[in-house]
Amino acid sequence: MLSTLAMLLLGLTTHSYAEEVVQFPSMTYRLSDFQKARAKARGDSSENDPAVVISGYLSKPIGEGRHPAVVLLHGCGGLSTSHRREAEAIRDWGYVVLVPDSFTPRGIEDACVPERRDKAPRVEDAFGALFYLSKLPFVDPSRIAVLGYSHGGGVALRIAMQSHKTLYEMPDELRFKAAATYYPPCEILTEPLVIPTLVLIGDRDDWTLASDCEAAARRQLGGPAGLSLTVFPGVYHSFNFPIFAEPRQIYGHWIRRGGEQARDI
């Protein structure tokens, strides 16, 4: 993943600072003129509801100037120390990393079963993180990528499919440079990608299926942005997390630390 993100974002530094906790608002939708007129006719406010304030862990590499950045999106179980360790590794490659916590401010325990899967508006959280990073003096706003794991990978895929110029209360020119995903639910890839996207998944993953990603890659041929897919043989879900060195089942699905090739990603 290092080489791929480096090619997409360009530029690395070395060494790092410790992380800090920051807060930023989730992005709100931009109301259309029709919505504003209808609200005015009803006597309602023509303003958006207040945005949810999200906490996140921000890590910054040492070095002068502006750095490329990554918004890291946790999986369905919520933010864990494993995600923060991943963020530290990416930071040590020279990226500013922001890890939003989408579940805690909304009182969500997890989103691992269908009835809880779409409770948190995580696309809006990711765009809120993008906007926050773009205002930092040590971040290059033209080189910000989104990286998602499992449920968070699905969020990253949704972002990679949509052009958000008129959707959110943010500058039209601000957008993610690229998307990278670990074992995402590729069945949601039903539209052409608008930014280059990387998918990493194991062929023994029984939670998010490699076959769905292979089918999605075929559908993306000839689209405006490329989909790069790597399927690791003999590898299960959550293959990049050391805490799953011993295989276990969660919600009926196997998760296990991957083989040597997958561990190097």
Side-chain angles (χ1 to χ4, degrees):
M1 187 178 68
L2 169 58
S3 58
T4 302
L5 283 176
M7 286 190 294
L8 294 174
L9 297 175
L10 304 177
L12 292 174
T13 55
T14 56
H15 308 299
S16 56
Y17 290 119
E19 67 178 10
E20 62 176 310
V21 178
V22 299
Q23 290 187 318
F24 56 90
S26 181
M27 191 55 61
T28 55
Y29 281 98
R30 181 179 296 167
L31 297 180
S32 67
D33 292 340
F34 172 76
Q35 289 172 313
K36 293 178 180 178
R38 188 173 62 175
K40 184 177 180 180
R42 292 198 307 258
D44 297 335
S45 170
S46 60
E47 301 297 325
N48 271 311
D49 292 333
V52 175
V53 175
I54 303 298
S55 294
Y57 292 90
L58 179 69
S59 299
K60 175 185 178 295
I62 288 175
E64 299 299 324
R66 293 179 178 268
H67 304 275
V70 174
V71 175
L72 189 154
L73 303 176
H74 60 69
C76 71
L79 181 60
S80 71
T81 56
S82 293
H83 295 103
R84 291 168 64 180
R85 290 192 188 101
E86 292 275 296
E88 291 171 359
I90 297 169
R91 174 203 64 194
D92 290 344
W93 296 340
Y95 296 90
V96 177
V97 186
L98 178 55
V99 189
D101 181 358
S102 289
F103 292 173
T104 300
R106 299 181 174 94
I108 298 173
E109 183 177 352
D110 68 61
C112 297
V113 292
E115 58 268 26
R116 296 197 294 270
R117 194 161 292 156
D118 299 318
K119 291 293 185 182
R122 300 191 63 194
V123 170
E124 290 89 324
D125 292 353
F127 281 134
L130 170 66
F131 185 74
Y132 175 84
L133 284 171
S134 73
K135 298 300 182 183
L136 297 178
F138 49 84
V139 170
D140 182 346
S142 69
R143 295 189 293 163
I144 303 176
V146 59
L147 167 63
Y149 298 82
S150 193
H151 187 275
V155 178
L157 292 183
R158 294 186 190 282
I159 290 169
M161 284 188 291
Q162 69 177 355
S163 174
H164 64 280
K165 288 184 178 180
T166 61
L167 291 180
Y168 298 99
E169 292 284 0
M170 59 191 299
D172 289 346
E173 69 277 7
L174 182 61
R175 59 181 61 246
F176 284 105
K177 176 75 171 180
T181 64
Y182 283 89
Y183 32 84
C186 286
E187 70 272 11
I188 70 172
L189 268 179
T190 57
E191 302 172 27
L193 296 167
V194 297
I195 57 175
T197 302
L198 170 68
V199 174
L200 304 171
I201 195 166
D203 69 349
R204 294 191 182 180
D205 195 322
D206 64 354
W207 203 334
T208 54
L209 303 181
S211 59
D212 288 338
C213 297
E214 291 168 333
R218 290 191 293 270
R219 290 195 299 271
Q220 291 295 325
L221 290 175
L227 173 62
S228 177
L229 169 65
T230 298
V231 179
F232 297 105
V235 170
Y236 295 81
H237 203 74
S238 296
F239 60 76
N240 56 311
F241 289 131
I243 62 170
F244 299 130
E246 295 298 324
R248 69 183 76 172
Q249 278 192 312
I250 296 180
Y251 289 106
H253 302 284
W254 284 103
I255 57 176
R256 183 180 184 181
R257 174 76 160 146
E260 182 176 347
Q261 183 185 15
R263 286 199 299 268
D264 290 339
I265 297 298

